[in-house]
Structures are given as structure tokens and as C-alpha cells.
Amino acid sequence: MKRPRKPVSIAQDPKITLKKIGAKLKKIRKERGYHNGDDFAYDNEINRSQYGKYEAGAQDMRISSLLKTINSLGMTIEEFFSDGLD
């Protein structure tokens, strides 16, 4: 007999979370001196149009793409998520 699943205490809407991740990427990119997302993407060998979609929260990201982007910002994934997404 299967045990009932424990309810998740915090519901997270993936669309809202993607937008928050995108906003944080954009904020940090600007803090790093890149006022243009295209320049950042080009300098870090990230597809320019995809990166724009990531910042807008309009495109789902693979974990490998998120890690590459975070590393390009000079951060670890732990640092990126350490203070939340708001």
C-alpha cells in the first residue's frame, strides 16, 4: 500500500519563478557592468536570443544553461539562490 504524499507547504508557479529568475539574472548582469544583454551573451558564448528569453522569463531553462549563465556572472548556484529571488 502506497503512503499518501505529503502536501507541499509552498505552492510555486513555474511561470512566476521563471520570471523571478530572469529578473535576478538581469539585475546581476547590470551590476556586473553589462547594460546590454546581447553583449553579455556574446562575451560569454550564450545564444543571444535565448538569453533574452531567459531574462524575460519567457523561456524555460535547462539546468546546464542556468549553471553556465550563473558561472558567467562569476557566481556559484548557491550564491545565486542564497538570498532568494525577490
Side-chain angles (χ1 to χ4, degrees):
M1 180 177 197
K2 289 186 177 181
R3 289 189 208 166
R5 294 179 89 185
K6 290 184 180 180
V8 177
S9 61
I10 301 173
Q12 293 182 344
D13 183 335
K15 291 180 183 179
I16 293 171
T17 303
L18 285 173
K19 290 212 179 278
K20 288 180 179 182
I21 289 171
K24 187 162 186 174
L25 290 172
K26 184 176 183 176
K27 178 181 176 266
I28 295 169
R29 169 185 52 82
K30 287 183 173 188
E31 288 172 355
R32 300 290 193 267
Y34 282 96
H35 299 289
N36 184 311
D38 290 350
D39 292 340
F40 173 77
Y42 181 78
D43 286 352
N44 292 286
E45 299 179 1
I46 299 169
N47 181 288
R48 181 186 51 79
S49 63
Q50 281 301 113
Y51 183 74
K53 292 175 186 176
Y54 296 155
E55 276 195 2
Q59 181 74 40
D60 206 346
M61 292 181 83
R62 292 176 26 185
I63 293 295
S64 59
S65 298
L66 180 61
L67 289 172
K68 180 177 182 178
T69 303
I70 290 170
N71 289 337
S72 296
L73 292 167
M75 304 177 82
T76 65
I77 195 162
E78 293 85 2
E79 290 169 327
F80 183 79
F81 287 110
S82 67
D83 61 350
L85 294 174
D86 292 327

